[in-house]
């Protein structure tokens, strides 16, 4: 199958590219390298260093004629979204609208869209969070990611474009940026391997749903053949505390420096994990990598540089 992956030089997108190539598909990547890296992109994929808003993007879709567009390009930072809501909406809302418009124009069969389970639901009313939980984001980023969902649904309703929308939990794994403001596993791994202390926000007992990136890539592989019209959570259904992450990572890295505690993050959701029954029923997907195993693979990859 010919597949175009937007954001394929980023953390999650690059793992999806690897999974598609390994399954024998032909892959092109469109990425403006704003946060992504050329070195993340598999040599067997064609990389176009192009912005999804640029004219050039249309020519690539017209020439490559993908059967599926896997859309992972985004402004992926909650903090940046708060500082610049217009840019956030342009990339995440407007960018997704453009992907859908081009998909319709050039006969693409399906768009696979990366949404955010951690932000579109807002403060959970009940746990685990199912897909029919009210949509009530508390950030510009969560709002713009949901706008993207509305565009892919609109394209199906009015143009017959197929879609699968995934609402991910907190992804972690190799290639996650340790210098970002989010991604506690990557940040702590980077600090521990550099022999520096980690700072835990608040008491560290906040629980989130941390999912290994390889399990996300596998969901995107299954969505090539199934899950048309599906909106599904992709997580583990397990809440892991920041203190547990710190302990597991300390074991894996040999870290002995105790953590510091900073103030709690303002507006942070305290407890959050996803019900993923729908993905299991529709795709036969479930996470296969345990937290300990995922951490071990992450630390090994960070050590290898
Ligand atoms: N990391 C998570 O835990 C998580 C959770 C839920 C959803 N998501 C979503 O998954 C996707 C990937 O996130 P990630 O964590 O890998 O982030 P990332 O920043 O590593 O990946 C985003 C990629 O998109 C590229 N990009 C950004 N703007 C672009 C543009 N205008 N044109 C072309 N390329 C552009 C970046 O260069 C980068 O390679 C995003 O859509 C994000 O919203 C991530």
């Amino acid at each position: 199958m010919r597949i175009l992956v937007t954001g394929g030089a980023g953390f999650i997108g690059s793992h999806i590219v690897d999974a598609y190539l390994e399954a024998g598909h032909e892959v092109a990547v469109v990425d403006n390298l704003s946060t992504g890296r050329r070195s993340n992109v598999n040599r067997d994929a064609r990389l176009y260093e192009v912005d999804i808003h640029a004219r050039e993007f249309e020519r690539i879709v017209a020439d490559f004629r993908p059967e599926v567009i896997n859309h992972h390009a985004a402004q992926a930072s909650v903090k940046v979204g708060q500082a610049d809501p217009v840019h956030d909406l342009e990339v995440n809302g407007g960018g997704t609208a453009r992907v859908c418009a081009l998909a319709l124009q050039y006969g693409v069969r399906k768009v696979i869209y990366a949404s955010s389970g951690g932000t579109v639901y807002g403060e959970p009313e009940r746990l685990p969070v199912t897909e029919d939980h009210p949509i009530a984001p508390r950030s510009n980023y969560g709002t713009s990611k949901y706008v993207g969902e509305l565009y892919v649904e609109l394209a199906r309703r009015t143009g017959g474009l197929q879609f699968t929308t995934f609402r991910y939990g907190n992804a972690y794994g190799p290639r996650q940026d340790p210098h970002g403001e989010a991604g506690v596993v990557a940040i702590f791994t980077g600090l521990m391997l550099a022999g520096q202390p980690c700072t835990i926000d608040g008491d560290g007992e906040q629980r989130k749903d941390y999912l290994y990136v390889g399990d996300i890539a596998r969901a995107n592989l299954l969505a090539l053949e199934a899950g048309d019209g599906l909106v599904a959570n992709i997580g583990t259904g397990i809440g892991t505390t920041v203190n547990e992450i710190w302990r597991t990572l300390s074991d894996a890295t040999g870290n002995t420096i105790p953590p510091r505690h900073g103030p709690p993050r303002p507006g942070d959701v305290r407890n959050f994990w996803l019900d993923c029954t729908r993905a299991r029923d529709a795709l036969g997907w479930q996470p296969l990598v345990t937290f300990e195993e995922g951490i071990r693979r992450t630390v090994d990859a960070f050590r290898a540089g």
Side-chain angles (χ1 to χ4, degrees):
M1 202 181 283
R2 268 191 318 285
I3 308 165
L4 193 154
V5 181
T6 72
F11 161 48
I12 298 175
S14 65
H15 287 274
I16 294 169
V17 170
D18 290 346
Y20 284 169
L21 287 168
E22 202 177 316
H25 299 295
E26 192 184 343
V27 180
V29 169
V30 171
D31 196 302
N32 68 359
L33 302 184
S34 53
T35 56
R37 298 158 137 240
R38 193 177 288 278
S39 59
N40 286 344
V41 181
N42 194 305
R43 280 168 192 213
D44 294 330
R46 238 180 291 173
L47 169 64
Y48 298 94
E49 191 183 332
V50 166
D51 193 290
I52 53 171
H53 294 99
R55 253 187 205 190
E56 176 87 354
F57 181 43
E58 176 170 356
R59 195 190 53 71
I60 295 163
V61 176
D63 289 350
F64 185 63
R65 293 274 166 178
E67 292 156 82
V68 171
I69 297 182
N70 184 303
H71 180 41
H72 273 67
Q75 185 303 103
S77 157
V78 172
K79 197 173 172 187
V80 170
Q82 290 308 99
D84 193 346
V86 174
H87 170 70
D88 178 77
L89 181 61
E90 278 169 0
V91 180
N92 296 353
T96 305
R98 180 134 202 262
V99 165
C100 291
L102 292 177
L104 286 170
Q105 191 178 340
Y106 290 98
V108 173
R109 191 185 75 76
K110 178 169 186 172
V111 167
I112 299 172
Y113 173 64
S115 185
S116 165
T119 63
V120 298
Y121 299 116
E123 187 68 41
E125 291 177 6
R126 51 186 183 269
L127 291 163
V129 177
T130 52
E131 291 85 353
D132 56 7
H133 184 284
I135 298 295
R138 298 173 68 85
S139 61
N140 296 318
Y141 168 77
T143 303
S144 65
K145 292 305 289 184
Y146 186 64
V147 168
E149 292 194 22
L150 295 176
Y151 278 115
V152 295
E153 285 169 24
L154 173 71
R156 182 186 203 229
R157 215 163 33 241
T158 59
L161 177 70
Q162 283 303 336
F163 74 84
T164 294
T165 288
F166 287 132
R167 294 178 180 157
Y168 302 143
N170 291 31
Y172 73 92
R175 301 182 199 147
Q176 190 167 29
D177 181 5
H179 307 295
E181 117 286 338
V184 63
V185 171
I187 294 170
F188 283 7
T189 306
L191 288 169
M192 286 182 189
L193 292 180
Q196 288 174 16
C198 301
T199 302
I200 291 175
D201 297 331
D203 65 4
E205 285 304 297
Q206 57 275 34
R207 279 180 192 276
K208 306 271 173 63
D209 192 330
Y210 294 92
L211 179 69
Y212 186 68
V213 68
D215 279 322
I216 294 185
R218 206 163 32 78
N220 281 271
L221 194 56
L222 292 166
L224 296 176
E225 307 290 349
D228 285 359
L230 177 74
V231 177
N233 290 337
I234 296 290
T236 61
I238 298 167
T240 304
T241 69
V242 177
N243 292 327
E244 285 165 351
I245 293 174
W246 184 86
R247 280 195 293 272
T248 310
L249 271 172
S250 289
D251 289 347
T253 59
N255 171 63
T256 52
I257 305 171
R260 299 171 177 158
H261 284 266
R265 270 189 191 222
D268 200 15
V269 172
R270 179 116 180 127
N271 289 311
F272 174 82
W273 51 95
L274 295 166
D275 180 299
C276 301
T277 312
R278 195 185 277 184
R280 190 194 62 201
D281 292 349
L283 298 175
W285 177 88
Q286 56 183 17
L288 297 179
V289 179
T290 63
F291 188 64
E292 287 69 23
E293 173 62 16
I295 289 293
R296 196 187 58 71
R297 290 187 198 179
T298 306
V299 169
D300 285 353
F302 273 61
R303 272 211 175 104

